[in-house]
Amino acid sequence: MNQSLPAADRAKKAAAARALDFVESGMRLGLGTGSTAAWLVKMLGQKVRGHKAFDILCVPTSTRTRDLALECGLKVGTLDDAGWLDLTIDGADEFDPALNLIKGGGGALLQEKIVAAASDRMIVIADPQKQVATLGAFPLPVEVVRFGWQVTRTLVERTLAKMDISDTTCTLRTARDDPFVTDEGHYIIDLHLKRISDPATLAARLTMIPGVVESGLFIGLAEAVVVGREDGTAALVTGPGGRGRKQATGGDDDLFSDLV
């Protein structure tokens, strides 16, 4: 392990290296967005260049990841090209013991969630700081349409006020002095909640609000988390009951059988 790297980067690199063990030739692979996922893309590019027979189709979750994947020599396609994915590997801003996630710190939560939901498996890669007892210390991103976004924020605040949440501060994400705009042309409202006692209920209530496109709460999608350490080792964390796509879709895999 390169000791010249900052400790956090060494941990992220270790998680990405361990996650490569899950990637097999012939896979249709979802590639996440963020600093940890970037390590995976770079290392995957090295693996493909070193093994010409190793063939995978990669579906990026953002323009940033797509550009990096192409730069690394990976074969890139769209989700419509792939139709369905064998595996998605992505980072997380937080994860709890049930493998509920907060994602979207990089602004790609919508595409990340679509890709994760269209995968047989989702493996998360993270450093130890992302492991928490209860979600909420990291601001929860909520992607909203631009039209009437201030009204949407008010509706979000009213929803939060009815739940067991200690803080309900909601801020529009900016890039320099302008609103941050996602790949899909939307805004992001960051919810500074400190503690989320019931992530599944909050996720459901947020998506019922007109104007909300999606939240950064990923419930029942992750199968396992690879936690990298700064010494170059990594640990595999699994949730109770083997969480995965079946739970995320209400237990009815037949709904997606024509896509697999």
Side-chain angles (χ1 to χ4, degrees):
M1 181 60 63
N2 189 347
Q3 295 298 317
S4 65
L5 290 172
D9 283 336
R10 294 200 301 269
K12 293 173 183 179
K13 185 176 181 180
R18 174 65 179 85
L20 282 179
D21 293 341
F22 293 94
V23 181
E24 301 174 0
S25 183
M27 274 188 166
R28 295 161 294 177
L29 178 68
L31 295 177
T33 295
S35 57
T36 312
W39 278 110
L40 174 77
V41 175
K42 294 173 184 177
M43 298 172 82
L44 186 60
Q46 292 175 350
K47 184 171 183 176
V48 169
R49 289 194 299 272
H51 300 81
K52 297 301 182 181
F54 194 86
D55 182 52
I56 55 174
L57 174 64
C58 298
V59 175
T61 55
S62 68
T63 54
R64 297 194 306 280
T65 299
R66 180 198 64 200
D67 292 346
L68 179 60
L70 290 171
E71 180 183 323
C72 292
L74 296 173
K75 183 192 300 184
V76 172
T78 67
L79 185 57
D80 289 330
D81 292 332
W84 194 259
L85 303 178
D86 301 293
L87 173 67
T88 287
I89 302 177
D90 202 349
D93 299 302
E94 284 186 345
F95 71 93
D96 69 11
L99 302 194
N100 298 312
L101 316 174
I102 286 182
K103 289 181 51 56
L109 64 101
L110 178 58
Q111 290 190 28
E112 288 173 334
K113 188 172 284 190
I114 292 171
V115 168
S119 304
D120 285 336
R121 307 170 69 195
M122 180 190 188
I123 302 295
V124 173
I125 48 179
D127 59 79
Q129 285 68 40
K130 306 300 171 55
Q131 188 169 8
V132 298
T134 305
L135 298 180
F138 190 92
L140 172 63
V142 176
E143 190 158 341
V144 301
V145 297
R146 296 197 213 186
F147 175 80
W149 73 265
Q150 294 184 65
V151 173
T152 302
R153 181 176 63 182
T154 298
L155 292 172
V156 168
E157 291 170 339
R158 290 178 180 177
T159 297
L160 295 174
K162 298 176 183 178
M163 301 187 67
D164 178 24
I165 296 175
S166 59
D167 196 349
T168 58
T169 304
C170 305
T171 59
L172 179 68
R173 187 179 298 187
T174 58
R176 297 183 177 87
D177 296 325
D178 297 318
F180 175 87
V181 179
T182 70
D183 280 353
E184 301 302 318
H186 302 133
Y187 288 164
I188 288 181
I189 298 173
D190 288 311
L191 313 187
H192 303 264
L193 307 179
K194 297 181 181 177
R195 178 179 178 273
I196 302 173
S197 58
D198 189 348
T201 298
L202 178 58
R205 291 185 181 180
L206 286 173
T207 53
M208 291 176 64
I209 298 172
V212 170
V213 180
E214 191 53 83
S215 84
L217 286 167
F218 284 50
I219 309 298
L221 286 168
E223 175 181 300
V225 180
V226 179
V227 181
R229 305 187 184 101
E230 61 182 84
D231 65 359
T233 63
L236 188 66
V237 178
T238 57
R243 303 174 74 86
R245 177 166 62 91
K246 186 171 184 179
Q247 286 180 300
T249 58
D252 184 7
D253 279 333
D254 291 338
L255 178 65
F256 298 94
S257 61
D258 60 333
L259 298 176
V260 179

